[in-house]
């Protein structure tokens, strides 16, 4: 019997559980965590990406990148965003009747709860059988044998499913091909989860979607530096029929968050520096130095020494 059926105590409670730590799951995790959701990514270390010899078509890496380096950067980003990475295989995901929360159990016997589950494991979706939706699986031919497999057409194009709170980022048919496409689809599904959650809270119209976007000081110039201008815009875009008090609460929370995205030039510079340092930490300083010409290193050291001497004079 499952924990949901026996009433077993839950060891961990999350907003979102993501099953799969490949590009789809990690990308979804970053977007969920940066939205402020308590997010756990379950990864058993068997992403299909590991079968690739070298990743050459992911934007941002001009000569490609080694799979191990790409994976290390993904995991570092997921952790930086605030996700918990759980190195366990998920055996089942069911829903407790009392509150419709998901109960996720691992092969090691750990039990986790979550309001939302994002399926992001390309290899299979058998852990979802406990949800008892007969449309989840279909007969497929695989290497000459017919077997029951997760139906990639079960979710809609945005990852939603007939099961409330269950989203699918992978498997997703053609959207599960190529790392950059998979990662983009994972982010897309996470954004729809976020919008659905915001709609549940009362946001509607153009204020329901969340954009993970930092703004420069220039974006808050003139009238947009005043909260009243934001209030006018919010009221024009918000379409829900709610009480005035509820609309006021949502409005001020929205504006607070908008102003939290404001970054000065100094903050942008500091974030840029930190971003580069984290990149170097993950790749490794010694490895980066190995690919720099020795003459360039000596020249740089000499420049720094001359600068220090000038400051001491």
């Amino acid at each position: 019997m499952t924990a949901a059926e026996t009433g077993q105590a839950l060891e961990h409670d999350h907003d979102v559980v993501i099953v799969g730590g490949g590009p789809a799951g990690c990308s979804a995790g970053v977007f969920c965590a940066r939205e402020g959701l308590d997010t756990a990514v379950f990864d058993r270390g068997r992403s299909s990406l590991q079968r690739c010899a070298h990743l050459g078509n992911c934007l941002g890496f001009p000569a490609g990148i080694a799979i191990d380096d790409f994976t290390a950067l993904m995991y570092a980003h997921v952790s930086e965003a605030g996700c918990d990475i759980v190195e366990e295989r998920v055996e089942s995901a069911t829903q407790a009747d009392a509150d419709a929360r998901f109960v996720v159990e691992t092969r090691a016997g750990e039990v986790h709860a979550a309001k939302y589950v994002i399926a992001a494991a390309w290899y299979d979706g058998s852990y979802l059988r406990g949800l008892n939706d007969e449309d989840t699986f279909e007969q497929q031919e695989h290497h000459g044998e017919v077997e029951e497999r997760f139906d990639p057409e079960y979710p809609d194009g945005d990852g939603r499913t007939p099961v409330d709170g269950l989203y699918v980022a992978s498997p997703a048919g053609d959207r599960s091909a190529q790392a950059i496409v998979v990662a983009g689809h994972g982010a897309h599904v996470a954004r729809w989860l976020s919008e659905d959650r915001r709609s549940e809270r009362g946001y509607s119209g153009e204020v329901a979607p969340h954009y993970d976007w930092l703004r420069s000081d220039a974006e808050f110039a003139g009238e947009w530096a005043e909260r009243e201008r934001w209030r006018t815009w919010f009221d024009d875009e918000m379409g829900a029929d709610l009480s005035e008090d509820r609309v006021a609460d949502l409005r001020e929370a929205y504006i607070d968050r908008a102003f939290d995205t404001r970054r000065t030039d100094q903050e942008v510079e500091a974030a840029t520096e930190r971003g580069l340092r984290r990149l170097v930490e993950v790749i490794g300083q010694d490895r980066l130095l190995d690919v720099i010409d020795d003459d360039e290193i000596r020249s740089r050291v000499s420049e720094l020494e001359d600068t220090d001497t000038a400051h001491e004079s």
Side-chain angles (χ1 to χ4, degrees), residues 110-131:
E110 285 194 350
V111 183
H112 296 250
K115 182 174 182 181
Y116 306 99
V117 166
I118 298 179
W122 176 84
Y123 57 90
D124 114 43
S126 60
Y127 57 91
L128 298 173
R129 290 186 185 280
L131 295 175

Side-chain angles (χ1 to χ4, degrees), residues 11 19 23 69 73-74 100 108 114 121 126 142 144 149 154 182 207 231 244 248 260 278 281 307:
E11 301 164 8
V19 184
D69 290 336
L73 288 168
M74 282 199 308
S126 60
H142 187 64
R149 290 193 147 209
Y154 176 64
V182 173
V207 301
R231 292 187 180 104
E244 290 186 12
D260 283 343
R278 285 292 287 126
E281 287 172 6
T307 301

